[in-house]
PDB file of all heavy atoms in Angstrom:
ATOM      1  N   ALA A 177       0.817  -1.208   0.000  1.00  0.00           N
ATOM      2  CA  ALA A 177       0.000   0.000   0.000  1.00  0.00           C
ATOM      3  C   ALA A 177       0.857   1.266   0.000  1.00  0.00           C
ATOM      4  O   ALA A 177       0.436   2.294  -0.514  1.00  0.00           O
ATOM      5  CB  ALA A 177      -0.934   0.014   1.211  1.00  0.00           C
ATOM      6  N   ASP A 178       2.059   1.187   0.558  1.00  0.00           N
ATOM      7  CA  ASP A 178       2.920   2.358   0.645  1.00  0.00           C
ATOM      8  C   ASP A 178       3.328   2.823  -0.761  1.00  0.00           C
ATOM      9  O   ASP A 178       3.826   2.017  -1.565  1.00  0.00           O
ATOM     10  CB  ASP A 178       4.177   2.033   1.458  1.00  0.00           C
ATOM     11  CG  ASP A 178       5.152   3.195   1.469  1.00  0.00           C
ATOM     12  OD1 ASP A 178       4.860   4.194   2.137  1.00  0.00           O
ATOM     13  OD2 ASP A 178       6.188   3.096   0.773  1.00  0.00           O
ATOM     14  N   PRO A 179       3.142   4.100  -1.091  1.00  0.00           N
ATOM     15  CA  PRO A 179       3.460   4.581  -2.444  1.00  0.00           C
ATOM     16  C   PRO A 179       4.911   4.344  -2.860  1.00  0.00           C
ATOM     17  O   PRO A 179       5.176   4.006  -4.014  1.00  0.00           O
ATOM     18  CB  PRO A 179       3.146   6.085  -2.364  1.00  0.00           C
ATOM     19  CG  PRO A 179       2.141   6.209  -1.260  1.00  0.00           C
ATOM     20  CD  PRO A 179       2.504   5.149  -0.270  1.00  0.00           C
ATOM     21  N   HIS A 180       5.845   4.501  -1.926  1.00  0.00           N
ATOM     22  CA  HIS A 180       7.261   4.287  -2.266  1.00  0.00           C
ATOM     23  C   HIS A 180       7.526   2.818  -2.579  1.00  0.00           C
ATOM     24  O   HIS A 180       8.265   2.496  -3.520  1.00  0.00           O
ATOM     25  CB  HIS A 180       8.162   4.770  -1.129  1.00  0.00           C
ATOM     26  CG  HIS A 180       8.117   6.253  -0.935  1.00  0.00           C
ATOM     27  ND1 HIS A 180       8.880   7.123  -1.682  1.00  0.00           N
ATOM     28  CD2 HIS A 180       7.383   7.026  -0.084  1.00  0.00           C
ATOM     29  CE1 HIS A 180       8.628   8.365  -1.310  1.00  0.00           C
ATOM     30  NE2 HIS A 180       7.724   8.337  -0.338  1.00  0.00           N
ATOM     31  N   ALA A 181       6.894   1.915  -1.814  1.00  0.00           N
ATOM     32  CA  ALA A 181       7.052   0.482  -2.075  1.00  0.00           C
ATOM     33  C   ALA A 181       6.429   0.115  -3.422  1.00  0.00           C
ATOM     34  O   ALA A 181       6.982  -0.719  -4.164  1.00  0.00           O
ATOM     35  CB  ALA A 181       6.407  -0.329  -0.947  1.00  0.00           C
ATOM     36  N   LEU A 182       5.301   0.721  -3.752  1.00  0.00           N
ATOM     37  CA  LEU A 182       4.668   0.468  -5.050  1.00  0.00           C
ATOM     38  C   LEU A 182       5.544   0.958  -6.195  1.00  0.00           C
ATOM     39  O   LEU A 182       5.688   0.276  -7.219  1.00  0.00           O
ATOM     40  CB  LEU A 182       3.297   1.147  -5.097  1.00  0.00           C
ATOM     41  CG  LEU A 182       2.212   0.531  -4.220  1.00  0.00           C
ATOM     42  CD1 LEU A 182       1.023   1.464  -4.086  1.00  0.00           C
ATOM     43  CD2 LEU A 182       1.772  -0.814  -4.793  1.00  0.00           C
ATOM     44  N   ALA A 183       6.154   2.127  -6.014  1.00  0.00           N
ATOM     45  CA  ALA A 183       7.049   2.651  -7.047  1.00  0.00           C
ATOM     46  C   ALA A 183       8.283   1.762  -7.204  1.00  0.00           C
ATOM     47  O   ALA A 183       8.737   1.498  -8.329  1.00  0.00           O
ATOM     48  CB  ALA A 183       7.460   4.084  -6.710  1.00  0.00           C
ATOM     49  N   ASP A 184       8.821   1.273  -6.087  1.00  0.00           N
ATOM     50  CA  ASP A 184       9.964   0.340  -6.145  1.00  0.00           C
ATOM     51  C   ASP A 184       9.591  -0.912  -6.928  1.00  0.00           C
ATOM     52  O   ASP A 184      10.365  -1.400  -7.755  1.00  0.00           O
ATOM     53  CB  ASP A 184      10.406  -0.052  -4.722  1.00  0.00           C
ATOM     54  CG  ASP A 184      11.099   1.091  -3.979  1.00  0.00           C
ATOM     55  OD1 ASP A 184      11.537   2.061  -4.632  1.00  0.00           O
ATOM     56  OD2 ASP A 184      11.187   0.992  -2.738  1.00  0.00           O
ATOM     57  N   PHE A 185       8.388  -1.450  -6.651  1.00  0.00           N
ATOM     58  CA  PHE A 185       7.924  -2.660  -7.350  1.00  0.00           C
ATOM     59  C   PHE A 185       7.776  -2.388  -8.843  1.00  0.00           C
ATOM     60  O   PHE A 185       8.231  -3.175  -9.682  1.00  0.00           O
ATOM     61  CB  PHE A 185       6.585  -3.123  -6.760  1.00  0.00           C
ATOM     62  CG  PHE A 185       5.991  -4.296  -7.489  1.00  0.00           C
ATOM     63  CD1 PHE A 185       6.366  -5.595  -7.170  1.00  0.00           C
ATOM     64  CD2 PHE A 185       5.066  -4.101  -8.507  1.00  0.00           C
ATOM     65  CE1 PHE A 185       5.826  -6.682  -7.860  1.00  0.00           C
ATOM     66  CE2 PHE A 185       4.520  -5.180  -9.199  1.00  0.00           C
ATOM     67  CZ  PHE A 185       4.908  -6.473  -8.865  1.00  0.00           C
ATOM     68  N   ALA A 186       7.134  -1.255  -9.190  1.00  0.00           N
ATOM     69  CA  ALA A 186       6.919  -0.924 -10.600  1.00  0.00           C
ATOM     70  C   ALA A 186       8.244  -0.786 -11.341  1.00  0.00           C
ATOM     71  O   ALA A 186       8.379  -1.224 -12.489  1.00  0.00           O
ATOM     72  CB  ALA A 186       6.100   0.362 -10.718  1.00  0.00           C
ATOM     73  N   ALA A 187       9.225  -0.200 -10.673  1.00  0.00           N
ATOM     74  CA  ALA A 187      10.538  -0.038 -11.300  1.00  0.00           C
ATOM     75  C   ALA A 187      11.235  -1.388 -11.464  1.00  0.00           C
ATOM     76  O   ALA A 187      11.781  -1.697 -12.535  1.00  0.00           O
ATOM     77  CB  ALA A 187      11.395   0.914 -10.467  1.00  0.00           C
ATOM     78  N   ALA A 188      11.210  -2.202 -10.404  1.00  0.00           N
ATOM     79  CA  ALA A 188      11.919  -3.484 -10.432  1.00  0.00           C
ATOM     80  C   ALA A 188      11.306  -4.451 -11.437  1.00  0.00           C
ATOM     81  O   ALA A 188      12.027  -5.192 -12.121  1.00  0.00           O
ATOM     82  CB  ALA A 188      11.912  -4.112  -9.034  1.00  0.00           C
ATOM     83  N   GLU A 189       9.970  -4.437 -11.544  1.00  0.00           N
ATOM     84  CA  GLU A 189       9.271  -5.383 -12.428  1.00  0.00           C
ATOM     85  C   GLU A 189       9.051  -4.831 -13.836  1.00  0.00           C
ATOM     86  O   GLU A 189       8.427  -5.492 -14.669  1.00  0.00           O
ATOM     87  CB  GLU A 189       7.912  -5.756 -11.813  1.00  0.00           C
ATOM     88  CG  GLU A 189       8.011  -6.633 -10.576  1.00  0.00           C
ATOM     89  CD  GLU A 189       8.544  -8.025 -10.903  1.00  0.00           C
ATOM     90  OE1 GLU A 189       8.205  -8.570 -11.971  1.00  0.00           O
ATOM     91  OE2 GLU A 189       9.326  -8.545 -10.086  1.00  0.00           O
ATOM     92  N   LYS A 190       9.542  -3.603 -14.065  1.00  0.00           N
ATOM     93  CA  LYS A 190       9.355  -2.952 -15.371  1.00  0.00           C
ATOM     94  C   LYS A 190       7.872  -2.907 -15.759  1.00  0.00           C
ATOM     95  O   LYS A 190       7.489  -3.304 -16.872  1.00  0.00           O
ATOM     96  CB  LYS A 190      10.199  -3.639 -16.445  1.00  0.00           C
ATOM     97  CG  LYS A 190      11.694  -3.515 -16.192  1.00  0.00           C
ATOM     98  CD  LYS A 190      12.503  -4.140 -17.312  1.00  0.00           C
ATOM     99  CE  LYS A 190      13.991  -3.853 -17.169  1.00  0.00           C
ATOM    100  NZ  LYS A 190      14.565  -4.232 -15.871  1.00  0.00           N
ATOM    101  N   VAL A 191       7.050  -2.440 -14.825  1.00  0.00           N
ATOM    102  CA  VAL A 191       5.617  -2.299 -15.078  1.00  0.00           C
ATOM    103  C   VAL A 191       5.411  -1.228 -16.147  1.00  0.00           C
ATOM    104  O   VAL A 191       5.930  -0.114 -16.038  1.00  0.00           O
ATOM    105  CB  VAL A 191       4.874  -1.932 -13.769  1.00  0.00           C
ATOM    106  CG1 VAL A 191       3.442  -1.502 -14.042  1.00  0.00           C
ATOM    107  CG2 VAL A 191       4.906  -3.121 -12.804  1.00  0.00           C
ATOM    108  N   ALA A 192       4.652  -1.571 -17.191  1.00  0.00           N
ATOM    109  CA  ALA A 192       4.466  -0.645 -18.315  1.00  0.00           C
ATOM    110  C   ALA A 192       3.528   0.496 -17.976  1.00  0.00           C
ATOM    111  O   ALA A 192       3.678   1.609 -18.486  1.00  0.00           O
ATOM    112  CB  ALA A 192       3.927  -1.406 -19.525  1.00  0.00           C
ATOM    113  N   LEU A 193       2.547   0.225 -17.106  1.00  0.00           N
ATOM    114  CA  LEU A 193       1.538   1.241 -16.792  1.00  0.00           C
ATOM    115  C   LEU A 193       0.945   0.954 -15.414  1.00  0.00           C
ATOM    116  O   LEU A 193       0.585  -0.180 -15.114  1.00  0.00           O
ATOM    117  CB  LEU A 193       0.413   1.217 -17.831  1.00  0.00           C
ATOM    118  CG  LEU A 193      -0.760   2.167 -17.587  1.00  0.00           C
ATOM    119  CD1 LEU A 193      -0.325   3.623 -17.733  1.00  0.00           C
ATOM    120  CD2 LEU A 193      -1.919   1.867 -18.551  1.00  0.00           C
ATOM    121  N   THR A 194       0.849   2.005 -14.605  1.00  0.00           N
ATOM    122  CA  THR A 194       0.134   1.920 -13.331  1.00  0.00           C
ATOM    123  C   THR A 194      -1.129   2.752 -13.449  1.00  0.00           C
ATOM    124  O   THR A 194      -1.109   3.873 -13.966  1.00  0.00           O
ATOM    125  CB  THR A 194       1.006   2.440 -12.173  1.00  0.00           C
ATOM    126  OG1 THR A 194       2.162   1.602 -12.058  1.00  0.00           O
ATOM    127  CG2 THR A 194       0.248   2.421 -10.857  1.00  0.00           C
ATOM    128  N   VAL A 195      -2.246   2.190 -12.977  1.00  0.00           N
ATOM    129  CA  VAL A 195      -3.548   2.870 -13.003  1.00  0.00           C
ATOM    130  C   VAL A 195      -4.028   2.998 -11.561  1.00  0.00           C
ATOM    131  O   VAL A 195      -4.108   2.001 -10.838  1.00  0.00           O
ATOM    132  CB  VAL A 195      -4.573   2.092 -13.847  1.00  0.00           C
ATOM    133  CG1 VAL A 195      -5.920   2.819 -13.871  1.00  0.00           C
ATOM    134  CG2 VAL A 195      -4.057   1.880 -15.268  1.00  0.00           C
ATOM    135  N   VAL A 196      -4.351   4.233 -11.154  1.00  0.00           N
ATOM    136  CA  VAL A 196      -4.789   4.471  -9.773  1.00  0.00           C
ATOM    137  C   VAL A 196      -6.312   4.423  -9.718  1.00  0.00           C
ATOM    138  O   VAL A 196      -6.982   5.175 -10.426  1.00  0.00           O
ATOM    139  CB  VAL A 196      -4.281   5.828  -9.254  1.00  0.00           C
ATOM    140  CG1 VAL A 196      -4.558   5.951  -7.757  1.00  0.00           C
ATOM    141  CG2 VAL A 196      -2.797   6.003  -9.539  1.00  0.00           C
ATOM    142  N   GLY A 197      -6.853   3.556  -8.856  1.00  0.00           N
ATOM    143  CA  GLY A 197      -8.295   3.437  -8.741  1.00  0.00           C
ATOM    144  C   GLY A 197      -8.919   4.429  -7.779  1.00  0.00           C
ATOM    145  O   GLY A 197      -9.725   5.265  -8.176  1.00  0.00           O
ATOM    146  N   PRO A 198      -8.578   4.389  -6.476  1.00  0.00           N
ATOM    147  CA  PRO A 198      -9.285   5.203  -5.485  1.00  0.00           C
ATOM    148  C   PRO A 198      -8.701   6.597  -5.297  1.00  0.00           C
ATOM    149  O   PRO A 198      -7.614   6.921  -5.797  1.00  0.00           O
ATOM    150  CB  PRO A 198      -9.131   4.377  -4.196  1.00  0.00           C
ATOM    151  CG  PRO A 198      -7.852   3.631  -4.383  1.00  0.00           C
ATOM    152  CD  PRO A 198      -7.660   3.429  -5.867  1.00  0.00           C
ATOM    153  N   GLU A 199      -9.440   7.404  -4.528  1.00  0.00           N
ATOM    154  CA  GLU A 199      -9.083   8.805  -4.364  1.00  0.00           C
ATOM    155  C   GLU A 199      -7.949   9.045  -3.383  1.00  0.00           C
ATOM    156  O   GLU A 199      -7.174   9.991  -3.555  1.00  0.00           O
ATOM    157  CB  GLU A 199     -10.320   9.599  -3.924  1.00  0.00           C
ATOM    158  CG  GLU A 199     -10.959   9.166  -2.610  1.00  0.00           C
ATOM    159  CD  GLU A 199     -11.961   8.020  -2.741  1.00  0.00           C
ATOM    160  OE1 GLU A 199     -11.880   7.241  -3.726  1.00  0.00           O
ATOM    161  OE2 GLU A 199     -12.809   7.892  -1.855  1.00  0.00           O
ATOM    162  N   ALA A 200      -7.826   8.213  -2.335  1.00  0.00           N
ATOM    163  CA  ALA A 200      -6.850   8.505  -1.280  1.00  0.00           C
ATOM    164  C   ALA A 200      -5.404   8.539  -1.798  1.00  0.00           C
ATOM    165  O   ALA A 200      -4.663   9.480  -1.477  1.00  0.00           O
ATOM    166  CB  ALA A 200      -7.002   7.513  -0.134  1.00  0.00           C
ATOM    167  N   PRO A 201      -4.951   7.559  -2.604  1.00  0.00           N
ATOM    168  CA  PRO A 201      -3.570   7.651  -3.117  1.00  0.00           C
ATOM    169  C   PRO A 201      -3.357   8.870  -4.013  1.00  0.00           C
ATOM    170  O   PRO A 201      -2.266   9.446  -4.028  1.00  0.00           O
ATOM    171  CB  PRO A 201      -3.382   6.346  -3.902  1.00  0.00           C
ATOM    172  CG  PRO A 201      -4.459   5.425  -3.428  1.00  0.00           C
ATOM    173  CD  PRO A 201      -5.598   6.292  -3.020  1.00  0.00           C
ATOM    174  N   LEU A 202      -4.391   9.258  -4.771  1.00  0.00           N
ATOM    175  CA  LEU A 202      -4.271  10.446  -5.623  1.00  0.00           C
ATOM    176  C   LEU A 202      -4.079  11.690  -4.766  1.00  0.00           C
ATOM    177  O   LEU A 202      -3.209  12.519  -5.037  1.00  0.00           O
ATOM    178  CB  LEU A 202      -5.519  10.595  -6.494  1.00  0.00           C
ATOM    179  CG  LEU A 202      -5.753   9.491  -7.524  1.00  0.00           C
ATOM    180  CD1 LEU A 202      -7.136   9.628  -8.145  1.00  0.00           C
ATOM    181  CD2 LEU A 202      -4.680   9.507  -8.604  1.00  0.00           C
TER     182      LEU A 202
END
């Protein structure tokens, strides 16, 4: 859930696109 951990995962896994669903992370 932590934004920094999510960004680390996206970078490490070479995620092509992240889509934000709910309002709180935005």
Side-chain angles (χ1 to χ4, degrees):
D178 175 72
H180 293 277
L182 289 166
D184 289 343
F185 176 85
E189 289 293 323
K190 296 183 172 54
V191 168
L193 176 68
T194 297
V195 180
V196 189
E199 60 275 23
L202 295 170

